[in-house]
């Protein structure tokens, strides 16, 4: 049965009659409520094949410090890199330094299809492949001509292609050395608070004019590195990394025998021995 479906999928692609099937939507809380759009099994097989075709073409063009949905990257690598940058900027926490934190408002909902396809065409020139990519991109929209579905493996790659434009701008325009991005969350570290304040305006202007995106006004923050940098569930403090308090409380509410090892693994990446003991005790209380 599976083999027959794969042959049928291959035949539709070969005959250029394949088109995406409708998505099924549902909500998850992680911790904030998000609407996920689940593709059919056949679509997921096709999306995975497309991802494997495109990933090696585009990944080589991404900057080192883009950490979302990439091989040998991820949240922990991003947090460790942030700590390394904090040490460099502050001379091992002996001098003052600052961090700019930003977030893009409704990022996945705001990705402009035409802009994304233009960026893809810079590296993909096979017209048959481009036709399939366009079908995938335009198979979903939140408003006319905009939006990518959360949950698709292709959406993860497309989002990196889209925001690689921002990465290249920050590295080669303002030439910021200490920049890290994970999906639509990014931080820039520096010694001059005024320079970071000016940088916000340049970034906002670039996003709006080139990518049709807007910074989230309530999630722009500049603070001293010594006060701690909250990023991707952890807080980087001078000489140690700790778990974010909201993450800790959520962990203590949800921990059970099945997910205990996963939570302990999460805690192994920070100064989390005391929290690990609390987590173990929480499991014992419910046995």
């Amino acid at each position: 049965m599976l083999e027959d479906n794969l042959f049928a999928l291959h035949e539709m692609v070969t005959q250029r009659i394949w088109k995406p099937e409708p998505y099924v939507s549902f909500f998850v809380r992680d911790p904030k409520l998000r609407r996920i759009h689940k593709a059919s099994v056949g679509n997921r097989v096709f999306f995975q094949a497309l991802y494997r075709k495109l990933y090696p073409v585009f990944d080589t063009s991404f900057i080192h410090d883009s950490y979302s949905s990439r091989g040998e990257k991820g949240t922990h690598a991003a947090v460790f890199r942030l700590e390394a940058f904090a040490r460099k900027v502050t001379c091992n926490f002996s001098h003052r330094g600052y961090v700019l934190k930003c977030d893009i408002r409704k990022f996945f909902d705001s990705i402009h299809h035409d802009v994304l396809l233009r960026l893809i065409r810079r590296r993909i020139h096979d017209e048959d492949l481009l036709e399939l990519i366009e079908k995938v991109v335009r198979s979903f929209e939140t408003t006319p001509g905009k939006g990518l579905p959360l949950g698709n493996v292709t959406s993860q790659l497309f989002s990196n292609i889209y925001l690689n434009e921002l990465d290249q701008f920050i590295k080669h325009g303002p030439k910021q050395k200490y920049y890290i991005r994970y999906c639509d969350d990014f931080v820039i570290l520096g010694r001059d608070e005024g320079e970071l304040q000016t940088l916000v305006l340049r970034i906002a202007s670039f996003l709006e004019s080139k990518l049709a995106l807007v910074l989230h006004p309530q999630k722009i923050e500049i603070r001293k590195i010594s006060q701690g940098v909250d990023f991707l569930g952890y807080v980087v403090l001078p000489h140690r990394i700790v778990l974010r308090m909201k993450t800790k409380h959520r962990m203590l509410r949800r921990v059970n025998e099945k997910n205990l090892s996963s939570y302990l693994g999460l805690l192994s990446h920070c100064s989390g021995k005391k929290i690990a003991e609390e987590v173990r005790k929480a499991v014992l209380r419910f046995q």
Side-chain angles (χ1 to χ4, degrees):
M1 185 67 176
L2 175 61
E3 186 177 349
D4 291 341
N5 289 336
L6 289 174
F7 279 123
L9 176 61
H10 179 267
E11 188 68 18
M12 284 190 290
V13 171
T14 302
Q15 294 184 11
R16 301 176 67 173
I17 59 173
W18 176 86
K19 61 180 181 179
E21 297 170 341
Y23 296 90
V24 175
S25 66
F26 59 95
F27 290 92
V28 298
R29 190 174 293 278
D30 69 336
K32 68 180 181 180
L33 196 66
R34 296 182 186 274
R35 190 175 187 181
I36 305 297
H37 292 83
K38 184 178 179 180
S40 67
V41 174
N43 276 7
R44 292 203 300 274
V45 170
F46 177 80
F47 294 160
Q48 187 63 238
L50 184 62
Y51 175 86
R52 292 184 179 184
K53 179 79 173 179
L54 298 180
Y55 179 85
V57 175
F58 286 96
D59 189 68
T60 56
S61 69
F62 298 156
I63 66 168
H64 177 83
D65 289 309
S66 165
Y67 285 88
S68 176
S69 305
R70 298 181 65 196
E72 299 182 3
K73 299 286 184 176
T75 57
H76 299 129
V79 171
F80 295 149
R81 183 69 159 172
L82 173 58
E83 182 189 36
F85 280 174
R87 289 182 180 276
K88 287 183 179 180
V89 169
T90 63
C91 298
N92 203 28
F93 302 107
S94 63
H95 291 77
R96 182 174 293 180
Y98 299 89
V99 59
L100 165 64
K101 288 182 58 185
C102 295
D103 179 281
I104 296 171
R105 184 167 61 187
K106 295 182 178 180
F107 170 56
F108 278 92
D109 288 349
S110 303
I111 291 176
H112 199 294
H113 293 173
D114 288 342
V115 175
L116 173 59
L117 291 168
R118 174 172 54 81
L119 297 175
I120 291 172
R121 288 190 183 100
R122 289 180 183 175
R123 286 183 167 263
I124 302 298
H125 307 291
D126 184 304
E127 289 299 326
D128 290 341
L129 181 57
L130 285 168
E131 181 182 329
L132 291 170
I133 293 169
E134 183 163 2
K135 285 182 179 180
V136 174
V137 171
R138 298 196 188 280
S139 68
F140 175 89
E141 58 183 18
T142 49
T143 56
K146 290 187 176 183
L148 291 179
L150 285 172
N152 272 13
V153 66
T154 49
S155 295
Q156 297 168 8
L157 176 59
F158 291 159
S159 68
N160 273 335
I161 293 170
Y162 208 83
L163 285 184
N164 184 52
E165 297 301 295
L166 173 64
D167 300 341
Q168 300 298 336
F169 167 73
I170 290 176
K171 298 296 283 187
H172 301 293
K175 296 183 179 180
Q176 297 298 308
K177 291 172 60 178
Y178 304 116
Y179 165 74
I180 299 169
R181 181 178 63 80
Y182 188 94
C183 196
D184 61 323
D185 293 325
F186 60 93
V187 294
I188 303 173
L189 289 75
R191 298 187 177 96
D192 188 330
E193 183 180 11
E195 181 183 349
L196 292 178
Q197 290 172 342
T198 302
L199 196 56
V200 174
L201 300 177
R202 294 187 65 181
I203 291 171
S205 176
F206 176 86
L207 286 171
E208 187 172 353
S209 63
K210 301 297 183 181
L211 298 175
L213 298 174
V214 177
L215 288 177
H216 197 305
Q218 277 77 53
K219 295 184 179 180
I220 301 171
E221 180 185 16
I222 299 176
R223 61 187 292 144
K224 296 175 184 175
I225 292 173
S226 60
Q227 293 176 300
V229 185
D230 187 331
F231 191 53
L232 303 178
Y234 295 92
V235 180
V236 175
L237 293 163
H239 307 294
R240 65 192 179 115
I241 300 171
V242 299
L243 197 67
R244 180 191 291 163
M245 288 305 295
K246 287 183 179 179
T247 307
K248 171 189 171 181
H249 294 319
R250 187 166 66 252
M251 181 183 294
L252 290 172
R253 287 196 307 270
R254 297 180 177 180
V255 66
N256 55 51
E257 288 183 351
K258 292 182 179 179
N259 61 28
L260 175 60
S261 60
S262 296
Y263 283 150
L264 292 178
L266 186 71
L267 290 166
S268 70
H269 296 281
C270 66
S271 300
K273 289 184 178 180
K274 290 183 179 180
I275 301 175
E277 287 303 313
E278 290 184 59
V279 167
R280 290 189 181 95
K281 289 177 181 177
V283 172
L284 290 174
R285 284 199 299 270
F286 291 104
Q287 287 182 336

